[in-house]
Amino acid sequence: MSLPQSAVSSFFKEQLGLAKMAIPSWFTFAFLLSLLVLHAEAKAFDPYKVLGVEKNATQREIQKAFHKLSLIYHPDKNKSKGAQEKFAVINNAYDFLSDEEKRKNYDRKREKQGATGFDAGHPGDGGGYTYSTSSGPGQSEFTSGPGGSQHMGGQGSSWTGFNIGDIFSKFFGDFGGSNWFQSSPKSIRAINSNVFEKEISDQGMTWLLLSHTSSSQQGKQNYESIIEEVASLLQGAIRVGSINCETEYSLCKDLGMLPGRAPRLFVYSYKVNEKGSLKEYKGDLVTKNAETFCQYHLPRFSERISLNHFDLSSSHVERYPVVMLLSTRKDTPVIWRVLSGLYHKRFTFYDAEVHDVSEPDVKKLGVGALPAVIGWLSNGEKHILKSGISVKDLKSATKDLSSMLHSFEKKNKKAASSKQTDSAERQLPLLTASNSDDLCGDKTPVCIIGAFRTTRSRERLESLLFKVSQKSLSRRKNVASGSKDSVSYTLLDAGKQASFLSAFDKSGYKSSSKILVAFKPRKGKFAAFKGHMNVEKVERFISSVLIGDVEFSRTRQKPVLK
């Protein structure tokens, strides 16, 4: 760009006057020199020339040119003086040309004015002149002219990657460790060891962290700009922070985050295992690439399953409530990965790809619209938590679904509390030799026997059988009444009564942790139910037994209890 001489002169005079009033006279020369350098940078800025591409270059050609220059000037690869500033200019140029909207605006103004860079302002803007390097966080702008003003972007201004804070630092040092032009944006949280321990370490949230010192300020604003843009794009999925490794030296050293001449960028990731770990971003300083890197390292605590092979393990149900997302996405959606981190060790997460609510497996779950979230309490009760989910943006979706999970968690705690309160009331008798005639003798038309091998299996079976026994369809009546419709519900210790179970199965069902046997003592016939059990499935089995829809087999021998 080429600013009219009158505008430049007017600007310098005004700034020189401000400098005399606001800072000591010995600043004047350096400040004026810095403005001249900035003007020279602004004048020379032409993104096409910076990347060495033609005006009609394709996005592929622009990307290749940027990558080639990055290999030469990236701070991690080039430690020579001036490489950082050069890379910032290259990055800025790529930011313009990779964004079609910015590129069109640039080309339009360039053709209109017949000069490189941005030049004279449009008519009607007060006769001012505008130079701008970018839009969004960290933008730098200079406007001058009648009624105009001078503004250098509020977050440590950087014109074409040239940092005004660096100029003053080079001339006058760091003024006792403070940096007048390099304070981090408010959206980037300052992290100390206490915050790291309480809010970051193994807390389930992904963080994008910048480590820096006063000697690694070159390009810091560019890093901060990228961090802010990524945070905006992934709002609700990640948080961002900055660690000053001078004041937090021990933390940076312990974490392996100490920077060199340039700042370093890390993601606190849960991709590898349940424990969080730091992964350094070493790619090009481009928002899209950094965003992809962050997405890749979001939590992956949701198990991807095939719905037609899904078997809800009782061990999971017993420990945590279960939630499952059904969507048409081929991969686990970002929002579900975020939630799986935030609620890790509070829920067991699953997700499955489905195509339509008319699919048999989806219909069986009772889902009316996709995407949908289904939940199972620890006692096995199924709930449709949300269906036909509409996502406005990542942040609001995280908030809404977090609220849903929080409510379901409270419901699960209430159910667990109720289970403890009612446990004495719903205890089922344990079948032994001493009570076998009363519970499962010839006078009992059908006895439902829940055989278990572990304490957990016993609790699960007892809970299920108690609930089903309260249903009218199960026709549970007092055995002593002699009613032909009476059904007896009892438990059996499979480990101690192996010979009893061998009358039904040669192996005694040794491969199953729990099994349900419907036994007709007078006829010597039985039917067995194995696999995943919940209230609906157990009730369906017992109802089928009572109405004769289940095929019974003869026992191998007469069951004998010890």
Side-chain angles (χ1 to χ4, degrees):
M1 154 190 149
S2 177
L3 292 174
Q5 188 60 40
S6 60
V8 177
S9 299
S10 174
F11 174 64
F12 282 171
K13 286 176 183 178
E14 288 181 38
Q15 295 303 318
L16 188 56
L18 288 171
K20 287 179 180 178
M21 289 186 290
I23 57 177
S25 58
W26 51 275
F27 273 69
T28 304
F29 173 73
F31 186 60
L32 184 59
L33 179 60
S34 70
L35 293 174
L36 286 169
V37 173
L38 290 173
H39 173 57
E41 288 283 333
K43 183 176 180 179
F45 183 71
D46 182 330
Y48 292 103
K49 287 185 178 179
V50 170
L51 295 183
V53 296
E54 298 296 329
K55 278 202 308 179
N56 59 353
T58 64
Q59 282 296 328
R60 178 63 179 161
E61 290 170 337
I62 291 169
Q63 191 176 27
K64 286 177 68 177
F66 173 72
H67 183 67
K68 183 178 179 180
L69 291 169
S70 295
L71 292 175
I72 301 171
Y73 293 104
H74 194 283
D76 287 343
K77 305 177 186 297
N78 191 330
K79 305 298 182 183
S80 63
K81 188 176 181 180
Q84 177 69 34
E85 288 87 348
K86 180 66 176 175
F87 179 72
V89 175
I90 293 166
N91 188 62
N92 223 3
Y94 180 68
D95 183 54
F96 264 104
L97 300 185
S98 61
D99 186 315
E100 288 296 343
E101 192 62 34
K102 289 182 183 179
R103 184 180 180 183
K104 285 177 183 176
N105 289 338
Y106 176 83
D107 289 343
R108 203 159 39 237
K109 291 183 180 180
R110 191 172 187 266
E111 291 171 7
K112 196 171 185 179
Q113 296 151 11
T116 61
F118 292 122
D119 209 329
H122 296 292
D125 63 0
Y129 306 93
T130 302
Y131 169 76
S132 175
T133 63
S134 65
S135 60
Q139 71 177 15
S140 304
E141 185 177 66
F142 158 59
T143 305
S144 182
S149 64
Q150 290 76 39
H151 171 66
M152 289 168 284
Q155 305 296 347
S157 304
S158 175
W159 294 359
T160 63
F162 198 97
N163 199 303
I164 191 167
D166 289 340
I167 297 171
F168 276 81
S169 179
K170 288 173 183 176
F171 278 104
F172 307 116
D174 290 328
F175 298 95
S178 64
N179 193 314
W180 292 11
F181 299 89
Q182 285 283 341
S183 60
S184 295
K186 291 181 180 179
S187 59
I188 302 177
R189 185 171 180 187
I191 304 299
N192 56 35
S193 56
N194 188 47
V195 172
F196 187 87
E197 184 66 29
K198 290 184 177 181
E199 299 184 33
I200 299 178
S201 181
D202 298 327
Q203 296 303 306
M205 172 58 80
T206 302
W207 282 75
L208 184 58
L209 299 169
L210 179 71
S211 68
H212 64 92
T213 63
S214 60
S215 60
S216 64
Q217 293 295 317
Q218 290 186 353
K220 178 169 174 275
Q221 187 199 352
N222 292 313
Y223 280 89
E224 289 176 336
S225 177
I226 294 296
I227 289 173
E228 285 195 308
E229 288 175 19
V230 171
S232 177
L233 291 168
L234 296 177
Q235 196 171 25
I238 69 166
R239 294 175 188 164
V240 295
S242 176
I243 305 178
N244 186 332
C245 290
E246 285 182 333
T247 57
E248 296 294 331
Y249 178 80
S250 295
L251 176 64
C252 290
K253 184 179 179 182
D254 292 344
L255 297 174
M257 297 178 70
L258 289 172
R261 292 181 59 190
R264 295 171 71 186
L265 200 55
F266 295 84
V267 167
Y268 191 80
S269 166
Y270 294 89
K271 173 147 190 328
V272 178
N273 51 45
E274 292 194 358
K275 288 243 177 229
S277 58
L278 287 165
K279 301 295 176 185
E280 186 170 7
Y281 175 69
K282 295 183 178 180
D284 297 329
L285 207 57
V286 179
T287 301
K288 186 177 181 181
N289 295 1
E291 179 196 6
T292 301
F293 184 79
C294 289
Q295 281 198 25
Y296 179 76
H297 285 92
L298 288 174
R300 294 180 185 271
F301 294 134
S302 178
E303 184 180 343
R304 188 77 167 174
I305 59 157
S306 173
L307 200 57
N308 58 347
H309 295 131
F310 178 64
D311 180 15
L312 192 61
S313 167
S314 64
S315 61
H316 282 151
V317 175
E318 297 280 344
R319 191 172 184 186
Y320 305 121
V322 172
V323 285
M324 179 194 293
L325 173 69
L326 302 181
S327 75
T328 57
R329 296 286 298 274
K330 290 184 178 180
D331 299 309
T332 305
V334 168
I335 180 64
W336 201 242
R337 288 173 60 188
V338 172
L339 291 169
S340 76
L342 291 174
Y343 288 86
H344 182 49
K345 294 187 178 177
R346 291 165 65 182
F347 288 88
T348 298
F349 283 82
Y350 293 103
D351 65 278
E353 179 190 1
V354 294
H355 301 288
D356 194 83
V357 292
S358 62
E359 292 179 20
D361 291 320
V362 181
K363 287 178 71 176
K364 196 183 296 182
L365 290 169
V367 173
L370 298 173
V373 177
I374 307 154
W376 287 266
L377 297 175
S378 296
N379 60 19
E381 284 185 13
K382 185 190 75 179
H383 295 261
I384 305 297
L385 300 183
K386 210 172 184 68
S387 61
I389 301 170
S390 177
V391 176
K392 180 182 177 183
D393 55 67
L394 196 55
K395 183 180 179 181
S396 62
T398 304
K399 184 179 178 181
D400 291 346
L401 294 179
S402 290
S403 178
M404 175 197 73
L405 292 176
H406 183 67
S407 297
F408 192 57
E409 187 176 39
K410 287 174 67 177
K411 182 177 287 188
N412 186 67
K413 288 178 180 177
K414 187 176 180 180
S417 176
S418 176
K419 176 184 175 182
Q420 291 175 357
T421 304
D422 300 338
S423 60
E425 296 178 11
R426 54 170 149 163
Q427 266 190 352
L428 294 180
L430 188 66
L431 187 62
T432 63
S434 61
N435 62 13
S436 61
D437 285 342
D438 292 332
L439 297 176
C440 206
D442 289 343
K443 292 181 180 180
T444 308
V446 180
C447 56
I448 306 298
I449 305 168
F452 62 87
R453 295 188 182 280
T454 65
T455 302
R456 182 171 288 176
S457 296
R458 175 176 181 164
E459 291 174 355
R460 178 73 175 144
L461 279 169
E462 186 171 23
S463 174
L464 289 171
L465 289 176
F466 178 81
K467 286 178 181 177
V468 173
S469 71
Q470 305 307 300
K471 308 272 186 178
S472 59
L473 189 60
S474 300
R475 301 185 299 179
R476 184 179 191 267
K477 295 185 179 180
N478 193 328
V479 176
S481 70
S483 168
K484 293 182 180 180
D485 289 337
S486 63
V487 178
S488 173
Y489 292 84
T490 183
L491 298 173
L492 180 81
D493 189 330
K496 294 180 180 179
Q497 302 290 351
S499 59
F500 181 87
L501 289 177
S502 64
F504 308 111
D505 179 75
K506 187 176 181 180
S507 69
Y509 302 110
K510 287 183 179 178
S511 61
S512 302
S513 63
K514 60 183 182 297
I515 187 168
L516 217 54
V517 177
F519 179 43
K520 294 182 176 181
R522 282 179 292 187
K523 294 184 178 181
K525 292 185 176 183
F526 76 98
F529 176 71
K530 297 182 289 184
H532 168 60
M533 296 182 190
N534 57 31
V535 174
E536 291 87 351
K537 288 185 178 181
V538 171
E539 183 181 8
R540 196 180 305 128
F541 169 70
I542 294 174
S543 298
S544 299
V545 166
L546 296 176
I547 62 177
D549 279 353
V550 172
E551 184 178 346
F552 277 76
S553 304
R554 286 204 168 273
T555 58
R556 299 176 64 248
Q557 59 200 40
K558 185 176 180 179
V560 178
L561 288 159
K562 291 182 180 180

